[in-house]
Amino acid sequence: MATNLKKRLFDTLDERVDRRVVAGLGSLFLSARSQSRCRVRYAEGQWVHRYPTGIVVNTTLGGLSARAQDQAAQDIFLFDYQPQPGDTVFDVGAGIGSEVRLLSRLVGPAGRVVSIEAHPRTFACLRRTVELNRLPNVTTLDCAVVGDPGPVYLSDDQVDHIRNGLTTDGTEGVEVPGRTLGEIIWSLGVDRIDLLKMNIEGAELPVLEKSFDLLSLVENVVVSCHDFLSEGTYADGADHQWQRTFAPVTDLLRAAGYTIRTRPDDPRPWVRYYVYASRP
């Protein structure tokens, strides 16, 4: 709750006060909060947060520090498998690039990270994150990964980018190109994926179904399913049934020959619906 109040405060300041003043206040607050120096500036519609451990680019001021992003990635996405030097990682639904610095560092100069983000505004943050952090082993792609190729529409929440996902209402959404996982793999000349990370707001099932034969190239998978949106304090009255993919995704990956691991006892509702899969 306190974090939400601080975010609303920054959003209000952003709307009503000169951004140079907001940047100064943000630098002071975020330095104190993270207990490390943070220099904030606003440029080209983005807030750039420069920490000693890395640069974070976002459409809003605040959010997790570079160190906190790395810690969250280790705890959640890399819980079952941590990439090794020379690995190839596919980051599908990379967002603003919260995990890209850590993934780039782990795979090293001989490895490769393919970071894919669909929403144009969020992708701009991802691309700039890669540029400012100087990550030469990262390839960024601005498209949606889909089961069937062709344009799709995304919702357009300008405040909270993590809420944006596929929508059937093109009148209020953003049209983006949709590419299949197989076509992307083929176009990049990839013959092995050591870790496939998917966080695409419930759209993962058709992607995995249409890519079933390609899973033989993939050693480890982590999928963020969004069943929690339909239950408890996260239920908002909307129909999230199409996002309840945990059970079918688990069954599909098990049928593809993976050993499955989940975290049903984790106190965080969203973590309980992560699926970790690895080759025996």
Side-chain angles (χ1 to χ4, degrees):
M1 182 63 70
T3 300
N4 290 335
L5 287 173
K6 291 169 184 173
K7 183 179 185 303
R8 287 200 294 270
L9 175 60
F10 276 134
D11 290 342
T12 300
L13 288 172
D14 188 15
E15 293 171 359
R16 302 180 182 179
V17 181
D18 187 295
R19 286 198 172 99
R20 288 171 295 182
V21 175
V22 178
L25 293 173
S27 296
L28 291 172
F29 170 76
L30 294 172
S31 294
R33 188 186 70 174
S34 64
Q35 297 183 333
S36 64
R37 181 175 175 80
C38 176
R39 290 180 292 162
V40 178
R41 65 185 177 91
Y42 182 83
E44 301 176 14
Q46 299 165 339
W47 287 98
V48 179
H49 308 69
R50 188 179 296 271
Y51 292 92
T53 55
I55 300 171
V56 176
V57 182
N58 206 336
T59 55
T60 58
L61 181 61
L64 295 179
S65 68
R67 180 186 293 113
Q69 285 186 343
D70 289 352
Q71 291 171 343
Q74 288 277 15
D75 172 41
I76 298 177
F77 290 107
L78 307 186
F79 175 77
D80 195 53
Y81 177 77
Q82 178 163 295
Q84 303 297 306
D87 275 3
T88 294
V89 176
F90 267 53
D91 184 2
V92 181
I96 61 172
S98 299
E99 294 80 42
V100 72
R101 293 182 318 277
L102 177 61
L103 294 173
S104 171
R105 188 162 66 246
L106 290 174
V107 304
R112 184 178 192 182
V113 178
V114 179
S115 288
I116 308 170
E117 172 54 39
H119 197 285
R121 189 168 53 253
T122 309
F123 176 78
C125 292
L126 168 66
R127 180 172 56 193
R128 199 166 187 198
T129 295
V130 172
E131 292 172 352
L132 292 178
N133 284 281
R134 299 179 182 179
L135 309 178
N137 58 355
V138 177
T139 299
T140 58
L141 298 177
D142 55 339
C143 64
V145 179
V146 294
D148 297 304
V152 295
Y153 291 93
L154 300 179
S155 56
D156 191 27
D157 189 323
Q158 298 191 29
V159 176
D160 192 353
H161 70 88
I162 66 173
R163 294 179 179 272
N164 290 322
L166 290 180
T167 176
T168 57
D169 187 357
T171 62
E172 297 184 1
V174 177
E175 182 177 339
V176 300
R179 300 173 63 184
T180 65
L181 183 61
E183 188 272 323
I184 293 172
I185 291 174
W186 175 83
S187 69
L188 296 176
V190 173
D191 58 9
R192 174 189 173 97
I193 298 174
D194 297 282
L195 177 63
L196 171 61
K197 165 188 168 284
M198 300 188 73
N199 184 14
I200 50 177
E201 305 298 315
E204 56 276 351
L205 184 58
V207 173
L208 291 171
E209 289 175 335
K210 293 300 179 71
S211 307
F212 188 85
D213 292 342
L214 291 169
L215 292 177
S216 60
L217 304 177
V218 182
E219 292 298 307
N220 302 276
V221 183
V222 54
V223 183
S224 171
C225 298
H226 287 68
D227 297 49
F228 68 92
L229 293 176
S230 299
E231 60 186 35
T233 58
Y234 293 91
D236 57 8
D239 184 6
H240 293 283
Q241 290 304 309
W242 70 276
Q243 291 176 292
R244 296 184 65 84
T245 62
F246 178 79
V249 163
T250 300
D251 291 343
L252 182 149
L253 292 173
R254 185 174 287 115
Y258 291 96
T259 298
I260 304 299
R261 188 179 183 188
T262 61
R263 304 166 75 176
D265 298 323
D266 195 284
R268 296 163 291 183
W270 58 93
V271 175
R272 293 199 290 267
Y273 291 105
Y274 271 73
V275 180
Y276 304 90
S278 58
R279 293 289 176 191

